[in-house]
Amino acid sequence: MDSTQEYRCPVYSSSNIDAEKRAQLLERPVKSSKDILALVSPILQSVREGGDDGLRSCVVKFDRCVPAEDAGFPLTLQAPFSDELARIDPKVKEAIDVAYKNIKAFHGAQMERESEPIRVETMPGVVCQRFARPIGSVGLYIPGGTAVLPSTALMLGVPAQVAGCKNITLATPPRPDGSISPEIIYIAQLVGAKTVVKAGGAHAIAAMAYGTKSVPKADKLYGPGNQFVTAAKMMVAMDSGAKCAIDVPAGPSEVLIIADKTADPVLVASDLLGQQEHGLDSQSVLVTIDCDDSYVEAVNAAVEQQAQALPRAEILRKSLSQSFILQTRSVEEAFEFSNDYAPEHLLLYLKDAAKTVELVENAGSVFVGPWSPVACGDYASGTNHTLPTVGYAKQYSGVSTSSFLKHFTSQELSSNGLKNLGPYVEILADVEQLGAHKASVSLRLDKIKREDL
Ligand SMILES: *[C@@H]1O[C@H](CO)[C@@H](O)[C@H](O)[C@H]1NC(C)=O
Ligand SMILES: *[C@@H]1O[C@H](CO)[C@@H](O)[C@H](O)[C@H]1NC(C)=O
């Protein structure tokens, strides 16, 4: 095969694909989850039953970590973390600090709105309220593997901190010598994490969901990960023994770009490649509006040219073949496809891009106009980047401050309020034949009448 051929995205046109092909394009290149569940289940079991020892053997086996210490090597770091472990290049530190400030500003504004109690007097003397409280203990999963991801630590750690979560635990795969990258430790310090767990993959999820001697149990788990991590999160969420919630069922990262003739093919190509760099199962989709074959050809030529110069050319070569370009004729047609696909990241490279945001029904986060590359949202603009993938944008939102809160409600009735509402409750309790329910109201109404309250 001609090697330059391999850096190209296959091209389809909406005018000559049938419904079946369209449905196939809306699918993601993911493995069947059944096989993965079978692989993950014994890993969860070994941590749940074996505690720290089970976790330690998984770290050696799956994280390929060979720590210098003896068989009892420590699985966690506890705050306060030493500055020594958090020493990073001053340039990187400044960049992390800028990102931290922006993410905190945006999520802080959301907290102001979210934490305000709601109070409604639904009937005279009947007052209902709703209050927000932080989730007590949260477990944040920071993937490692093909790249170090300090940005994910920020995106999860900052909303947890802003929401006021008391126990923040970070888990991330250790390096082969058992250490954790200093960027992650620096961010753990910034967001006030108490524990860093040196483990990646399904076993890290299990340790935080069930808790071990050295890993605190979390009430809710957050963060992206590979298919094993995703499967582990779904399994612990279903296990009533774990009493652990999860954020979104995340899968491989993806982008969908809607472009018209005004979009520069070189920039479009850079965003397609930026997505593919994440890994072999990432997907990039370009939907063009009223662009001819020569435009599509220009994009593919730019993809080819840029890909060869990038450090991760090998990953790109393999993953581009599962991305594609779809030519459509109108704005409506393009958005209809995009809404059906429900992308994690949606880029709008269109004339009057801001106006088209109202056409978006399903997307994780939207990047508007030519000067808003996904990389800015990934790192530092202020929005979070933990977003629903694999089409879950149809029913889930990305991680935000509210993901770290739970709500409870209250009601307070005055004697007058009970006089107003009680008779209706008695009727409904009668209908359901719940006599004690009814009596709890009737006895009070009698007392109010008797004592003239
Ligand atoms: C924080 O963790 C400690 C130790 O595991 C636990 O005792 C405490 O209840 C946790 N606090 C909250 C608010 O969950
Ligand atoms: C990301 O975070 C922001 C601010 O916290 C929030 O409003 C938004 O719903 C979150 N999700 C997405 C998809 O951006």
Side-chain angles (χ1 to χ4, degrees):
M1 195 193 291
D2 174 5
S3 72
T4 55
Q5 282 270 311
E6 299 166 57
Y7 288 108
R8 302 172 64 84
C9 302
V11 181
Y12 305 94
S13 167
S14 64
S15 54
N16 57 25
I17 54 170
D18 57 15
E20 198 183 330
K21 184 67 199 173
R22 185 178 187 277
Q24 192 198 323
L25 292 178
L26 289 169
E27 291 290 328
R28 307 301 200 271
V30 288
K31 281 198 209 116
S32 124
S33 56
K34 249 218 216 106
D35 312 343
I36 292 181
L37 294 183
L39 291 171
V40 163
S41 172
I43 298 176
L44 297 187
Q45 194 186 349
S46 75
V47 176
R48 193 177 59 222
E49 289 168 9
D52 278 349
D53 291 338
L55 178 59
R56 200 171 274 119
S57 60
C58 289
V59 169
V60 171
K61 187 166 165 196
F62 300 113
D63 293 323
R64 302 214 175 77
C65 165
V66 192
E69 292 108 314
D70 54 296
F73 65 89
L75 291 161
T76 60
L77 297 169
Q78 303 293 338
F81 307 103
S82 83
D83 289 339
E84 188 65 32
L85 293 178
R87 184 154 303 147
I88 51 179
D89 179 338
K91 276 211 312 257
V92 176
K93 180 179 176 302
E94 190 188 346
I96 289 179
D97 290 345
V98 168
Y100 176 76
K101 196 179 125 275
N102 288 351
I103 299 165
K104 202 167 180 185
F106 189 53
H107 288 74
Q110 201 191 9
M111 182 62 186
E112 272 167 37
R113 205 171 282 186
E114 284 285 334
S115 57
E116 196 64 36
I118 298 172
R119 182 184 186 280
V120 178
E121 186 162 2
T122 53
M123 244 181 159
V126 180
V127 175
C128 297
Q129 298 198 71
R130 182 177 189 255
F131 303 89
R133 293 288 183 274
I135 294 178
S137 300
V138 296
L140 316 181
Y141 184 77
I142 319 298
T146 55
V148 187
L149 296 172
S151 53
T152 300
L154 280 171
M155 292 299 172
L156 297 172
V158 175
Q161 180 181 38
V162 167
C165 299
K166 288 275 178 309
N167 297 323
I168 302 178
T169 301
L170 254 56
T172 194
R175 298 185 287 196
D177 65 353
S179 65
I180 297 291
S181 85
E183 288 85 2
I184 301 286
I185 306 284
Y186 177 67
I187 292 165
Q189 280 179 342
L190 274 182
V191 303
K194 285 195 176 157
T195 309
V196 173
V197 183
K198 302 198 248 176
H203 45 293
I205 296 298
M208 294 193 288
Y210 297 106
T212 69
K213 192 150 176 287
S214 54
V215 180
K217 189 209 171 321
D219 300 315
K220 187 169 175 183
L221 299 177
Y222 305 78
N226 58 23
Q227 294 175 19
F228 296 97
V229 169
T230 302
K233 280 171 68 183
M234 287 167 87
M235 287 173 83
V236 299
M238 280 189 307
D239 179 1
S240 59
K243 297 207 174 49
C244 192
I246 59 169
D247 53 351
V248 279
S253 192
E254 62 206 19
V255 70
L256 187 144
I257 303 173
I258 301 182
D260 64 13
K261 277 178 266 190
T262 66
D264 180 344
V266 172
L267 299 184
V268 170
S270 75
D271 285 313
L272 290 170
L273 289 168
Q275 188 58 47
Q276 292 313 119
E277 198 171 43
H278 281 300
L280 293 180
D281 45 13
S282 294
Q283 191 175 47
S284 307
V285 177
L286 170 62
V287 177
T288 62
I289 299 170
D290 195 23
C291 292
D292 58 14
D293 292 347
S294 67
Y295 180 90
V296 171
E297 182 47 43
V299 172
N300 252 332
V303 163
E304 227 169 79
Q305 203 199 355
Q306 293 175 31
Q308 294 177 48
L310 289 167
R312 293 185 161 200
E314 189 53 24
I315 289 185
L316 295 171
R317 190 174 59 78
K318 291 193 185 140
S319 64
L320 276 169
S321 62
Q322 57 198 18
S323 297
F324 62 90
I325 300 173
L326 177 68
Q327 296 171 287
T328 68
R329 285 151 301 193
S330 66
V331 173
E332 290 69 29
E333 204 184 7
F335 277 85
E336 190 180 277
F337 185 84
S338 172
N339 285 329
D340 285 346
Y341 184 89
E344 177 191 18
H345 304 104
L346 172 61
L347 264 79
L348 305 177
Y349 273 3
L350 301 167
K351 198 163 169 292
D352 297 328
K355 280 200 197 123
T356 62
V357 174
E358 65 185 33
L359 301 174
V360 178
E361 291 292 336
N362 305 315
S365 199
V366 185
F367 298 79
V368 185
W371 312 122
S372 317
V374 171
C376 287
D378 273 350
Y379 290 116
S381 64
T383 62
N384 56 74
H385 77 192
T386 304
L387 301 167
T389 56
V390 243
Y392 277 117
K394 286 186 180 166
Q395 53 277 91
Y396 284 93
S397 319
V399 167
S400 63
T401 307
S402 60
S403 323
F404 291 86
L405 299 170
K406 72 233 172 188
H407 295 87
F408 65 85
T409 56
S410 77
Q411 45 262 286
E412 182 174 1
L413 284 72
S414 63
S415 59
N416 200 34
L418 189 63
K419 273 193 255 173
N420 289 332
L421 181 63
Y424 299 109
V425 176
E426 287 178 316
I427 294 170
L428 292 172
D430 258 343
V431 172
E432 299 195 354
Q433 297 185 14
L434 294 177
H437 279 65
K438 183 180 180 188
S440 70
V441 175
S442 313
L443 288 172
R444 283 184 172 80
L445 287 177
D446 289 346
K447 181 173 164 115
I448 290 168
K449 202 166 173 192
R450 217 169 41 239
E451 299 177 15
D452 194 21
L453 299 171

